[in-house]
Amino acid sequence: MRAVADDLVLVTGAAGFIGSHLVARLLADGHRVVAVDDLSTGRLDNLAPARAQAGEGRLQFDHLDVTSDAFDGLVGRMRPAAIVHLAAQVDVRTSVERPLEDARHNILGTLQVLEAARRHGVRRVVYAASIAGYGDPPADRIPLTEDVTTPPISPYGASKRAGGDYVLAYGATHGVEGVVLTLANVYGPHQSTAGEGGVVAIFTGRMLAGAPCTVFGDGEQTRDFVFVDDVVDAFARAVRVPEAAGERLLVGTGVATTVTALFGHVAAATDYPHAPIVAPERPGEVRHSVVDPSRARSVLGWAPWTDVPAGVAATVAWAARAGDR
Ligand SMILES: NC(=O)c1ccc[n+]([C@@H]2O[C@H](COP(=O)([O-])OP(=O)(O)OC[C@H]3O[C@@H](n4cnc5c(N)ncnc54)[C@H](O)[C@@H]3O)[C@@H](O)[C@H]2O)c1
């Protein structure tokens, strides 16, 4: 068997929001990158900055579904040292309406990635899990820590949780080192208005267009908004820090921001003059959500840099430029 390529990282979901930033970061760190995406929600133009920055032969893109046999063939040909598995169906509503489709991407897809890793000697698989996997924990368990065991309340939460469990199980059973990063509400450039945690993208798009913006409920529900560049830094560390193997780590800021406060930050950055439209609270929505990132800090030496006003300003600046094109 040909040796594993030490500097090569394969990223699934690479043309998506987080994946496209991660590819750029891994290239900047000196890795060669194989970027895989089925382009179901991802966009090739998200990878344009990474492509422009990559030297000759350092970035390749493969338009593939991770559940296909072709994916296994690719891993066998390229022999990456690590896979960062971000490819997923990320829409909670889709998971409720079509749970089998959700499971095909999120559970079977993760298993296919792990099987390919096992067969072809990939040393490490880093997986993006979601706080949706922790359901709606009681108030006394917030901020959320890794030991919370409350069950998921959506098929998406269940499929993402299961994916992380499989990743750690492959470490125990087959020696494929697994790292599970459980992400809070990620936001930043390249995020689409659909899917999970898209409220920053939605407010930004609507406020830049001068369109009405809706806040559901009293606006006092809280979220832990973490900027994509900080999340990508956690992934870059998870690829290389030896002690991260076998860990499940929460990645967020530890700061709770109300939806009303977020509305204010986006309004300030876009000069939006209107008040929000207030609509009834949506059923099934978690009231408070914030994570304790202490473990990620100690295991990865990681800390978020970007507060919400700065991250929102960067997101608005990108969206305004993207809108001009
Ligand atoms: N954005 C967040 O706030 C957040 C929070 C928690 C967890 N996550 C997780 O982070 C990861 C990335 O999320 P994102 O926000 O960048 O979403 P995204 O939709 O922008 O990216 C997912 C990418 O995966 C691709 N994809 C989906 N199914 C595929 C398949 N079967 N084969 C190949 N490619 C496939 C899509 O085309 C897309 O480009 C996901 O695993 C998601 O569950 C995101």
Side-chain angles (χ1 to χ4, degrees):
M1 200 155 66
R2 199 155 53 82
V4 159
D6 284 326
D7 64 339
L8 189 63
V9 180
L10 187 150
V11 178
T12 74
F17 161 45
I18 299 170
S20 55
H21 292 279
L22 180 62
V23 169
R25 170 62 190 269
L26 291 171
L27 288 166
D29 284 354
H31 296 282
R32 289 184 298 126
V33 178
V34 179
V36 173
D37 204 294
D38 69 355
L39 301 180
S40 51
T41 60
R43 298 163 49 133
L44 265 183
D45 62 359
N46 283 340
L47 282 170
R51 187 186 191 189
Q53 151 204 344
E56 189 59 33
R58 303 198 65 78
L59 171 65
Q60 110 178 23
F61 176 75
D62 288 85
H63 183 183
L64 278 184
D65 185 327
V66 294
T67 64
S68 66
D69 291 342
F71 177 74
D72 182 82
L74 176 72
V75 177
R77 273 196 314 284
M78 301 307 298
R79 308 288 318 277
I83 296 178
V84 183
H85 179 42
L86 303 174
Q89 187 299 115
V90 301
D91 191 334
V92 173
R93 275 165 307 173
T94 301
S95 82
V96 173
E97 287 158 17
R98 301 193 293 280
L100 291 176
E101 180 185 327
D102 176 78
R104 185 181 80 74
H105 288 274
N106 295 1
I107 300 180
L108 289 181
T110 301
L111 267 171
Q112 300 277 71
V113 167
L114 289 166
E115 276 294 277
R118 174 183 73 75
R119 277 194 212 108
H120 302 296
V122 176
R123 289 191 207 112
R124 179 168 288 199
V125 173
V126 182
Y127 174 75
S130 167
I131 45 167
Y134 290 95
D136 196 1
D140 64 354
R141 295 313 312 263
I142 292 172
L144 199 62
T145 45
E146 286 83 0
D147 59 334
V148 169
T149 54
T150 41
I153 55 171
S154 68
Y156 171 75
S159 67
K160 292 299 297 182
R161 175 102 200 173
D165 289 345
Y166 275 114
V167 168
L168 296 182
Y170 265 62
T173 318
H174 299 295
V176 179
E177 295 176 355
V179 188
V180 175
L181 299 187
T182 306
L183 314 180
N185 288 76
V186 191
Y187 71 99
H190 300 182
Q191 186 169 34
S192 88
T193 49
E196 195 182 356
V199 61
V200 175
I202 293 167
F203 281 172
T204 299
R206 296 194 68 78
M207 287 189 195
L208 282 173
C213 276
T214 304
V215 168
F216 296 95
D218 62 5
E220 291 307 300
Q221 60 273 49
T222 55
R223 294 291 178 267
D224 186 336
F225 294 106
V226 58
F227 190 57
V228 66
D229 182 51
D230 288 324
V231 169
V232 158
D233 187 63
F235 277 101
R237 289 166 189 266
V239 166
R240 66 167 192 262
V241 171
E243 294 74 26
E247 289 283 347
R248 197 192 286 275
L249 303 169
L250 285 159
V251 171
T253 63
V255 177
T257 301
T258 66
V259 170
T260 299
L262 179 76
F263 182 96
H265 293 310
V266 185
T270 54
D271 291 327
Y272 185 72
H274 309 295
I277 295 171
V278 177
E281 198 176 313
R282 287 186 293 191
E285 231 183 58
V286 171
R287 179 89 181 142
H288 294 296
S289 172
V290 62
V291 311
D292 175 352
S294 313
R295 196 165 172 80
R297 192 180 288 267
S298 68
V299 174
L300 299 176
W302 173 81
W305 279 1
T306 318
D307 63 17
V308 171
V312 162
T315 307
V316 166
W318 167 80
R321 282 198 309 275
D324 286 346
R325 284 205 299 263

